[in-house]
């Protein structure tokens, strides 16, 4: 009896401990995710008072405006295009580099490469974007270098503009692509390549049939990650872009900070989130198989 | 089907570790040869040099008489089973087996017919569309066999393929591997550190140590006539007595052990025949030379000893010689190991001797703590270079 009683008491204590432990992530979710999200949705149906503030209301006006004005639709499409292009360029640039780093380089080179990749994240991309705006201006840096090399007739300034925005974006998010690829490329067991070659496949076919498919989950998640980061970034386009390169986050910031139109800012935020949700859902469907088996190179027991 | 020759092959890894040190070896056509040795002995490196994954620093690798030392792995025509199996996880069982055939440009229909035939041979018909992670360990093993053999390679290479399996499945697969190998009739090189596995599977075993081949021979030769103390200790259990040669008559040698007991043993056929320079050249065994006597546990014969006859001193033993005096021991432990009864014995000097009897072969009256004398037939004891 005494033993059984003791057992149930300790079981009850364990139960309480589980709740306590769950309270932490649960609380975090509520405070940092659920509450702000609800506030955002609630604000998006309030009515803006021109000249300052807002009033409690339930109106679709903000959404109607977001969809009626071609400007916002254009900005949304532009943002999606810019982000997708950024993600694809990061993948195209990041894959060969990371492949070399993860599978071909010596341990020393690998360490240096990773350190260099991560070190670019030490500076905030506000500073890095300003650095690019100097480098890409007509009076200094790359424009003058191309002119000096005789590749252009006169020094060309790229910043502010589309090229500068794209370069800034790629530069800002390439490290995330590399780190995402690195894990999945390292996880491909070297004996997979050896098995492929043993079966008669030359290095290129081995890469195509074995390494590439096995690193696909990392490539997909890296592309998705960069896409999402680019969609949410407002610093790079506002520093390196002209108004024609402003993305949705810049528009939202302008509405809230300079127009003081919080309800409309909230409404286009909700629209942006909904679109991203759809994109993620579609990507999830496409990558379903990859998600099920994130690191297929590892032996399961 | 071809023979494999390693000619004076040496491989040093960055950092100066000599993994393989001047190994010469011929794997005969259709033979099942095992490279056996502890980890770091160079057996896997030797196998990888045959497959083409490592390049020797010196020496040559020949497959079917053709020098393939500088030929890349994808042109060597070997079929390898990896320790991790390395099945492609993103492909079905069928696609795994098809892979090599497709890489060799075999048409889809012909390749599929051949792949299904191989899967039937390893009893995996009906599993074509499973993924490797949906199979049991033993099934995955068989897929790896099928994949390696589907391309009809001239050499079959296996790198500790059973290491990750439990004992029962391992036994079944060993039988299956041997049957498969004999049916296909393929020259096979098998790497393992498990001496039991080597004994049960191989036509011949090459025992390796520190990048060299210590001895090469049939399992029976290796077991009965080990060339060196290392081989005697690594392949099967043995009792080793260090001592000096007292007298020699032909193959028969009389040795005085370090504890002062005199025992008789014979020079084996393997003594002096080993590839290693450590093995005793028979002609060098002469009085005064330091040697080691190896006696297998099943050759140990126990006789009761009357402990009280001379006030507790070893009875019936003449430490000064007399040859057949035997070694006095105390029974420390008796274990029943399946069909064997295992006696753990101690000499007065504290050396452990292990003797085994078949169950029912003979009953001994003494129990634990009893006194006994160990004798053995000199024909079953081997003199080895220390």
């Amino acid at each position: 009896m005494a033993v059984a009683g003791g057992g149930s008491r300790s079981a009850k204590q364990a139960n309480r401990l589980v709740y306590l432990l769950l309270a932490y992530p649960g609380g975090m979710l509520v405070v940092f995710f659920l509450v702000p999200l609800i506030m955002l949705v609630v604000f998006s149906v309030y009515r803006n008072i021109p000249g300052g503030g807002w009033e409690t209301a339930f109106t679709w006006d903000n959404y109607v405006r977001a969809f009626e004005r071609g400007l916002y639709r254009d900005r949304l499409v532009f943002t999606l295009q810019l982000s997708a292009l950024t993600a694809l360029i990061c993948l195209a640039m990041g894959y060969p580099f990371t492949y070399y780093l993860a599978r071909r380089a010596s341990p020393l080179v690998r360490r240096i490469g990773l350190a260099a990749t991560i070190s670019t994240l030490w500076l905030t991309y506000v500073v890095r974007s300003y650095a690019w705006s100097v480098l890409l201006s007509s009076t200094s840096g790359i424009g003058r270098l191309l002119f000096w090399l005789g590749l252009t007739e006169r020094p060309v300034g790229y910043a502010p503009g589309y090229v500068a925005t794209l370069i800034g974006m790629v530069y800002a998010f390439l490290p995330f692509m590399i780190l995402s690829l690195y894990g999945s490329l390292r996880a491909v067991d070297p004996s997979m390549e050896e098995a492929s070659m043993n079966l008669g496949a030359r290095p290129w076919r081995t890469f195509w049939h074995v390494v590439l498919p096995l690193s696909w989950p990392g490539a997909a998640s890296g592309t998705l990650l960069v896409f999402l980061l680019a969609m949410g970034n407002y610093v790079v386009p506002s520093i390196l872009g002209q108004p024609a390169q402003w993305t949705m986050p810049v528009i939202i910031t302008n509405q809230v900070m300079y127009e003081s139109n919080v309800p409309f800012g909230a409404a286009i935020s909700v629209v942006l989130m909904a679109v991203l949700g759809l994109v993620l859902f579609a990507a999830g469907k496409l990558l379903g198989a990859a998600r099920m088996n994130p690191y297929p190179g590892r032996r399961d027991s | 089907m071809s023979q494999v020759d390693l000619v004076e092959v040496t491989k040093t890894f960055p950092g100066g570790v000599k993994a393989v040190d001047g190994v010469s070896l011929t794997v005969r056509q259709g033979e099942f040869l095992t490279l056996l040795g502890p980890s770091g002995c160079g057996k896997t490196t030797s196998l990888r040099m045959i497959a083409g994954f490592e390049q020797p620093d010196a020496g040559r690798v020949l497959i079917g008489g053709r020098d393939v030392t500088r030929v890349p792995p994808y042109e060597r025509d070997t079929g390898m089973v990896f320790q991790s199996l390395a099945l492609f996880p993103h492909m079905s069982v069928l696609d795994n087996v098809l892979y090599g055939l497709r890489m060799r440009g075999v048409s889809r229909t012909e390749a599929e017919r051949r792949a299904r035939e191989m899967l039937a041979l390893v009893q995996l018909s009906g599993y074509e569309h499973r993924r490797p992670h949906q199979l049991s360990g033993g099934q995955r093993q068989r897929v790896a066999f099928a994949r390696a053999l589907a391309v009809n390679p001239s050499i079959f290479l296996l790198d500790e393929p059973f290491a990750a399996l439990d004992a029962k499945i391992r036994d079944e697969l060993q039988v299956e591997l041997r049957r498969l190998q004999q049916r296909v009739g393929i020259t096979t090189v098998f790497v393992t550190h498990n001496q039991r596995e080597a004994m049960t599977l191989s036509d011949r075993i090459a025992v390796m140590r520190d990048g060299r081949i210590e001895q090469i021979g049939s399992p029976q030769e290796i077991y009965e006539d080990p060339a060196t103390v290392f081989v005697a200790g690594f392949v099967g259990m043995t009792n080793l007595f260090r001592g000096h040669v007292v007298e020699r008559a032909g193959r028969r040698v009389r040795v005085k052990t370090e504890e002062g007991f005199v025992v008789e043993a014979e020079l084996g056929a393997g003594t002096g025949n080993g590839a290693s320079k450590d093995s005793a050249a028979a002609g060098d065994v002469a009085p005064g030379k330091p040697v080691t006597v190896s006696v297998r546990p099943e050759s140990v014969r126990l006789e009761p000893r009357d402990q009280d006859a001379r006030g507790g001193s070893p009875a019936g033993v003449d430490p000064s010689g007399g040859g057949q005096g035997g070694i006095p021991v105390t029974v420390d432990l008796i274990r029943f190991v399946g069909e064997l009864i295992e006696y753990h014995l101690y000499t007065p000097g504290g050396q452990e001797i292990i003797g085994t009897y078949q169950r029912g072969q003979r009953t001994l009256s003494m129990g634990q703590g009893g006194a006994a004398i160990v004798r053995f037939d000199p024909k079953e004891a081997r003199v080895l270079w220390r």
Side-chain angles (χ1 to χ4, degrees):
Chain A
M1 279 299 282
V3 173
S8 88
R9 196 182 313 138
S10 77
K12 235 177 257 171
Q13 275 172 349
N15 253 339
R16 211 174 305 151
L17 192 67
V18 167
Y19 284 125
L20 218 71
L21 285 173
L22 279 177
Y24 178 67
M28 295 276 281
L29 270 180
V30 169
V31 171
F32 292 109
F33 180 71
L34 204 58
V35 170
L37 190 67
I38 290 169
M39 281 171 65
L40 189 72
V41 173
V42 168
F43 270 101
S44 74
V45 295
Y46 282 3
R47 184 172 296 122
N48 181 45
I49 300 170
W54 60 82
E55 59 179 10
T56 314
F58 184 84
T59 169
W60 294 109
D61 288 356
N62 298 315
Y63 288 100
V64 171
R65 183 180 163 206
F67 285 107
E68 262 182 3
R69 295 266 193 97
L71 169 69
Y72 301 113
R73 209 171 43 234
D74 289 351
R75 286 300 89 199
L76 183 60
V77 170
F78 174 78
T79 309
L80 285 167
Q81 282 175 343
L82 180 70
S83 303
L85 193 57
T86 301
L88 291 177
I89 292 174
C90 281
L91 179 64
M93 288 178 68
Y95 196 97
F97 174 77
T98 317
Y99 176 82
Y100 170 76
L101 207 61
R103 300 197 69 79
R104 292 280 168 265
S106 68
L108 179 70
V109 173
R110 198 184 307 147
R111 240 171 292 157
I112 292 171
L114 274 185
T117 303
I118 292 167
S119 71
T120 65
L121 298 173
W122 290 349
L123 279 177
T124 163
Y125 41 63
V126 177
V127 175
R128 284 183 280 146
S129 297
Y130 277 117
W132 273 112
S133 78
V134 174
L135 277 175
L136 293 169
S137 68
S138 58
T139 51
S140 53
I142 292 163
R144 292 206 68 89
L145 182 70
L146 294 179
F147 169 65
W148 183 77
L149 288 170
L151 294 171
T152 52
E153 302 225 326
R154 57 195 162 77
V156 180
Y158 298 99
Y162 185 76
V163 173
T165 308
L166 194 59
I167 289 175
M169 286 278 212
V170 168
Y171 184 76
F173 302 128
L174 190 57
F176 296 95
M177 175 63 81
I178 290 170
L179 294 177
S180 172
L181 282 168
Y182 185 81
S184 76
L185 274 167
R186 284 291 291 171
V188 178
D189 185 348
S191 65
M192 294 285 167
E193 282 172 285
E194 289 179 351
S196 170
M197 288 200 278
N198 182 251
L199 290 163
R202 290 169 171 279
W204 259 107
R205 299 181 91 180
T206 293
F207 172 77
W208 184 255
H209 290 289
V210 176
V211 180
L212 190 62
L214 289 180
S215 61
W216 164 238
S221 65
T223 308
L224 215 54
L225 178 68
V226 170
F227 176 76
L228 288 180
L229 288 169
M231 285 295 289
N233 188 277
Y234 111 97
V235 170
V236 176
S238 54
I239 292 174
L240 289 169
Q242 292 170 328
Q245 281 82 46
W246 285 357
T247 57
M248 284 303 276
V250 182
I251 305 288
I252 292 166
T253 309
N254 286 348
Q255 283 300 320
V256 175
M257 302 295 288
Y258 307 117
E259 309 284 327
S260 296
N261 192 343
V262 176
F264 183 63
I268 49 179
S269 297
V270 170
V271 171
L272 182 61
M273 284 179 66
V275 169
L276 283 183
L278 276 175
V279 171
L280 275 183
F281 178 76
K285 284 272 171 200
L286 279 173
L287 307 177
R291 267 189 320 173
M292 254 170 50
N293 201 359
Y295 291 110
R298 284 166 55 173
R299 251 196 299 164
D300 35 341
S301 50
Chain B
M1 241 195 299
S2 306
Q3 91 175 22
V4 178
D5 298 278
L6 297 182
V7 186
E8 290 294 325
V9 165
T10 297
K11 175 74 187 177
T12 309
F13 282 114
V17 183
K18 230 175 197 177
V20 176
D21 189 4
V23 163
S24 290
L25 170 72
T26 294
V27 190
R28 296 170 192 149
Q29 197 158 314
E31 171 180 56
F32 194 118
L33 183 125
T34 296
L35 299 176
L36 172 68
S39 63
C41 72
K43 57 191 191 296
T44 294
T45 306
S46 301
L47 189 81
R48 290 172 59 80
M49 285 194 290
I50 298 172
F53 299 132
E54 307 285 355
Q55 291 259 314
D57 305 323
R60 293 184 303 146
V61 180
L62 280 74
I63 295 177
R66 182 170 81 109
D67 190 332
V68 294
T69 315
R70 304 288 160 209
V71 172
Y74 43 87
E75 285 169 6
R76 283 207 187 184
D77 197 27
T78 66
M80 179 146 165
V81 175
F82 292 79
Q83 188 169 6
S84 66
L85 301 188
L87 296 178
F88 304 129
H90 58 297
M91 294 181 197
S92 68
V93 166
L94 184 66
D95 284 337
N96 265 282
V97 181
L98 275 175
Y99 191 86
L101 295 160
R102 297 295 289 150
M103 289 303 137
R104 276 151 213 242
V106 178
S107 74
R108 177 87 203 179
T109 45
E110 170 58 22
E112 210 170 305
R113 190 192 60 73
R114 170 90 182 132
R116 286 180 190 280
E117 199 179 283
M118 281 314 299
L119 285 172
L121 195 62
V122 297
Q123 293 155 46
L124 277 176
S125 294
Y127 289 86
E128 287 87 351
H129 300 294
R130 300 269 187 104
R131 291 286 181 94
H133 70 267
Q134 295 169 311
L135 302 177
S136 71
Q139 289 168 335
R140 261 180 278 184
Q141 196 83 56
R142 301 208 295 262
V143 175
F145 290 167
R147 183 178 72 172
L149 291 176
V151 295
N152 209 358
S154 48
I155 311 290
F156 193 22
L157 306 172
L158 300 104
D159 184 11
E160 306 227 17
F162 301 128
L165 296 173
D166 59 53
K168 190 168 174 293
I169 296 174
R170 183 191 293 231
D171 272 4
E172 285 170 19
L173 279 168
Q174 281 172 8
V175 173
E176 201 163 322
L177 169 62
R178 190 65 168 130
R179 199 176 288 150
L180 195 65
Q181 189 263 342
Q182 285 178 345
R183 190 172 312 172
V184 182
I186 187 170
T187 310
T188 301
V189 185
F190 184 86
V191 160
T192 186
H193 65 272
N194 183 327
Q195 51 99 7
R196 280 178 62 100
E197 206 163 83
M199 297 290 276
T200 51
L201 282 171
S202 321
D203 294 320
R204 284 196 304 156
I205 299 173
V207 184
M208 292 188 71
R209 178 198 192 188
D210 296 338
R212 293 161 181 273
I213 291 177
E214 197 92 342
Q215 186 177 8
I216 183 161
S218 72
Q220 196 184 347
E221 281 164 11
I222 298 265
Y223 188 80
E224 289 178 358
D225 278 318
T228 65
V229 171
F230 173 78
V231 173
F234 195 78
V235 180
M237 241 193 291
T238 196
N239 299 294
L240 297 171
F241 302 95
R242 289 157 68 96
H244 288 84
V245 176
V246 178
E247 196 185 330
R248 176 177 171 188
R251 303 208 72 79
R252 183 71 57 101
V253 180
R254 188 173 283 210
V255 175
K256 187 170 187 178
T257 71
E258 283 178 345
E259 278 191 65
F261 303 113
V262 174
V263 294
E264 280 193 357
E266 285 197 349
L267 288 167
T271 311
N273 287 347
S276 162
K277 57 188 172 198
D278 293 343
S279 60
D284 292 346
V285 175
K289 290 285 168 79
V291 291
T292 298
V293 173
S294 164
V295 187
R296 298 286 181 194
E298 64 271 22
S299 300
V300 168
R301 289 289 151 259
L302 276 176
E303 283 169 18
R305 166 161 65 97
D306 183 5
Q307 203 165 16
D308 300 323
R310 274 196 240 160
S313 73
V317 175
D318 178 6
S320 62
Q324 292 309 301
I327 300 169
V329 291
T330 313
V331 180
D332 184 53
L333 182 72
I334 302 172
R335 289 207 306 159
F336 294 87
V337 190
E339 73 283 5
L340 291 177
I341 303 170
E342 195 177 273
Y343 286 79
H344 290 247
L345 315 155
Y346 279 94
T347 64
Q351 189 191 344
E352 189 182 32
I353 298 175
I354 293 173
T356 54
Y357 285 93
Q358 293 288 326
R359 185 186 291 280
Q361 177 189 18
R362 177 177 148 177
T363 46
L364 274 162
S365 54
M366 82 205 63
Q368 264 163 241
I373 294 176
V374 162
R375 297 185 200 279
F376 43 82
D377 185 344
K379 289 195 196 77
E380 294 176 14
R382 289 288 161 266
V383 176
L384 302 169
W385 230 215
R386 187 180 288 175

